[in-house]
Amino acid sequence: MADSSQNKMSVVQLTILTAVNMMGSGIIMLPTKLAQVGTMSILSWVVTAVGSMCLAYAFAKCGMYTRRGGGMGGYSEYTFGKAGSFMANYTYGVSLLIANIAIAISAVGYAQEFMEVELSSVAVGMWTIATLWLATVLNFGGAKYTGRVSSVTVWGVIIPVVGISVLGWFWFSPSTYTEAWNPHNLQFFDGLTQSIAMTLWAFLGMESASANSEAVENPEKNVPIACLGGTLGAAIIYILSTNVMAGIVPNAELALSSAPFGLAFATMFTPMVGKIVMGLMVMSCFGSLLGWQFTIAQVFKTSSDEGYFPKLFSKVTSYNAPIVGMITITVIQSLLSLMTISDALYEQFETLVNLAVVTNIIPYLLSMAALVVIQKAAGHYSGMTTFIALIGSLYSFYALYSSGFDAMTYGSLVTFFGWTLYGFVSERFDLMDSIYWNREEDKRTGRVDEEAQKLYAANQAKLDSEAHVSHEYNSAAESK
């Protein structure tokens, strides 16, 4: 037992790991967007931090008590069945597909500043597509190579972000900060709403924090602590870094920058230091993209294995890399990159982020709603946990609203299209249940249908084994 305990993480180690996992490339373009609102966006950080901690805590409980695999798809299945599981997997996959384009755009934005070149909107789109394809090709070597690269490159963003959070205060100007509080004279709730979706973007991925529950001591106690602590730690660093920058760089310059962290370090030290930070950010962005491109291929592969997506996503090479799926995904991303080209890089980034947030929130809401059943099925129901999940859901709805009309419209269309897609695969999961219900209803009403009787006879063994369906049918019949 002693050896087993020594091989497990402490709650402090898991907390740090959770924070580091969240601090990928999501933050590096945020100071530009937040500067367009003003330093009043600190209020959005506070709201998002509370909402994200509620979501992270609920996801920790989902991960601890579930007996199903598949992440959010598995959680959703508890309450919404296979249809809910499909929609969670589908919308999460779409979200990652879009989010990775935003990461690639971030890399291109910093790279053009680093190289001191001015790219046209079309050129930005072309380089974004080239970056996506390079990350995809490098992933052909499998997860081992990808994991090694990503574990190193993530420090390219962590070091500058943590560094400016600590050192930046020596260059902080209170007057610069206060002058940027509300440069466009926005109403209070307008200012709060305009930056909610962008701040949530920085926390996407919190749902993966519970994946390490088996590697920590006393998981029932320590996993929720680590999820909350990691999310709170990331929130503090996010708030410090973005707000200290607002007191270093004038608002008008920050709001138009394609490489805000590089600009801040150049202002603090020298242009050469700013260039080094830009180089680190480009490296980190590409490393993050490399990891997420592989992750999205794995998400599509898992969904394909479940029978949700076409079988082409399940095909793997000797390196266990789903290359056909990767190529298919990157083709779709290339088309989306062309469709979202904008005159300003940050506008294209914002469009993609808002759409990624909208589609990512759908599986969040499904998972939060399923938590009651997940807890009761495990014999660990807690009213407080359910209340926290409700707060997380309410925050998610607010984030949906704040994403804007266009993102909500396109996100809704994508989601509704998912229901249509499920209709083409649903017979794999729902056909036998439907046949059973038809047979029992025909028995009850005395209806005789020759073709239906042949179908019932052909599936007699399967129908009689559906005990849970029988119980559901009997309950429904008694209520008539």
Side-chain angles (χ1 to χ4, degrees):
M1 292 294 290
D3 291 339
S4 176
S5 177
Q6 289 176 359
N7 289 330
K8 292 193 173 185
M9 288 185 287
S10 68
V11 65
V12 174
Q13 291 172 320
L14 184 59
T15 300
I16 294 173
L17 179 63
T18 301
V20 168
N21 284 343
M22 260 184 284
M23 290 177 59
S25 59
I27 191 177
I28 71 172
M29 285 294 293
L30 287 189
T32 294
K33 169 58 184 176
L34 299 179
Q36 294 164 21
V37 175
T39 51
M40 68 183 297
S41 60
I42 188 175
L43 303 174
S44 298
W45 277 120
V46 174
V47 172
T48 295
V50 173
S52 296
M53 284 191 288
C54 289
L55 289 168
Y57 181 85
F59 277 121
K61 292 296 186 180
C62 285
M64 287 165 54
Y65 297 142
T66 185
R67 299 295 185 271
R68 302 178 192 265
M72 290 188 285
Y75 306 155
S76 302
E77 190 173 344
Y78 273 90
T79 295
F80 301 101
K82 287 293 185 180
S85 178
F86 172 87
M87 289 304 299
N89 280 282
Y90 164 74
T91 50
Y92 185 57
V94 171
S95 174
L96 293 182
L97 189 147
I98 297 167
N100 287 5
I101 304 174
I103 294 173
I105 289 173
S106 299
V108 172
Y110 271 81
Q112 71 172 345
E113 293 290 335
F114 180 74
M115 300 296 292
E116 295 184 355
V117 296
E118 187 71 31
L119 298 177
S120 67
S121 56
V122 175
V124 168
M126 293 298 102
W127 278 108
T128 298
I129 293 171
T131 303
L132 288 165
W133 277 104
L134 179 59
T136 297
V137 171
L138 290 177
N139 270 313
F140 288 175
K144 188 175 182 180
Y145 170 77
T146 301
R148 285 177 178 175
V149 173
S150 297
S151 64
V152 174
T153 57
V154 69
W155 294 99
V157 67
I158 292 176
I159 291 173
V161 170
V162 174
I164 201 170
S165 299
V166 177
L167 301 176
W169 299 102
F170 293 103
W171 287 266
F172 182 82
S173 168
S175 60
T176 301
Y177 185 86
T178 53
E179 288 170 4
W181 179 256
N182 188 6
H184 303 294
N185 298 315
L186 299 172
Q187 295 294 323
F188 175 78
F189 284 107
D190 287 342
L192 185 68
T193 298
Q194 283 190 26
S195 45
I196 282 288
M198 297 299 288
T199 52
L200 177 58
W201 161 257
F203 289 98
L204 295 186
M206 74 186 85
E207 68 279 354
S208 64
S210 61
N212 294 296
S213 60
E214 294 182 2
V216 68
E217 302 167 354
N218 192 6
E220 187 167 347
K221 175 185 177 183
N222 289 337
V223 169
I225 292 174
C227 286
L228 286 173
T231 304
L232 179 60
I236 291 172
I237 292 173
Y238 287 156
I239 292 171
L240 289 176
S241 62
T242 53
N243 280 273
V244 74
M245 287 173 65
I248 297 172
V249 182
N251 179 265
E253 295 179 35
L254 193 59
L256 295 175
S257 176
S258 298
F261 278 93
L263 175 61
F265 274 90
T267 304
M268 291 164 56
F269 299 104
T270 65
M272 179 57 67
V273 174
K275 275 193 170 296
I276 292 172
V277 169
M278 290 179 198
L280 287 172
M281 291 288 186
V282 172
M283 177 189 75
S284 176
C285 263
F286 188 75
S288 177
L289 179 64
L290 192 68
W292 279 110
Q293 281 293 88
F294 191 86
T295 298
I296 187 176
Q298 289 298 120
V299 169
F300 274 66
K301 179 183 179 300
T302 300
S303 296
S304 178
D305 292 341
E306 288 287 327
Y308 297 148
F309 291 177
K311 287 299 180 184
L312 66 91
F313 291 107
S314 290
K315 297 178 181 179
V316 296
T317 64
S318 58
Y319 293 101
N320 201 33
I323 289 180
V324 176
M326 290 179 183
I327 293 173
T328 304
I329 289 166
T330 312
V331 169
I332 298 171
Q333 289 173 320
S334 300
L335 294 174
L336 284 173
S337 298
L338 294 174
M339 290 168 60
T340 56
I341 284 177
S342 175
D343 290 337
L345 182 143
Y346 65 82
E347 290 180 359
Q348 184 179 10
F349 177 79
E350 181 182 0
T351 299
L352 291 165
V353 166
N354 286 339
L355 187 53
V357 166
V358 167
T359 49
N360 205 105
I361 286 175
I362 303 302
Y364 281 10
L365 291 171
L366 292 172
S367 298
M368 293 302 101
L371 186 53
V372 171
V373 175
I374 291 174
Q375 291 181 94
K376 289 186 175 181
H380 290 276
Y381 180 76
S382 166
M384 179 56 69
T385 297
T386 302
F387 177 74
I388 291 173
L390 176 61
I391 298 299
S393 296
L394 293 175
Y395 167 74
S396 297
F397 280 114
Y398 181 48
L400 283 175
Y401 168 76
S402 70
S403 296
F405 179 80
D406 287 344
M408 275 296 296
T409 299
Y410 295 130
S412 298
L413 289 173
V414 168
T415 303
F416 295 151
F417 183 63
W419 289 114
T420 300
L421 292 179
Y422 181 71
F424 290 102
V425 300
S426 62
E427 67 174 272
R428 302 171 189 171
F429 317 108
D430 304 323
L431 178 60
M432 206 51 59
D433 288 2
S434 298
I435 292 174
Y436 180 90
W437 277 64
N438 283 351
R439 187 186 72 170
E440 296 305 302
E441 189 68 10
D442 284 355
K443 285 181 181 179
R444 190 182 68 83
T445 61
R447 178 181 175 180
V448 178
D449 185 316
E450 187 174 331
E451 293 301 320
Q453 294 299 324
K454 292 178 182 178
L455 183 62
Y456 303 152
N459 292 278
Q460 185 70 42
K462 289 184 179 179
L463 293 173
D464 289 344
S465 69
E466 300 289 320
H468 67 285
V469 178
S470 176
H471 173 74
E472 293 173 1
Y473 175 82
N474 290 335
S475 298
E478 288 171 3
S479 66
K480 291 186 177 181

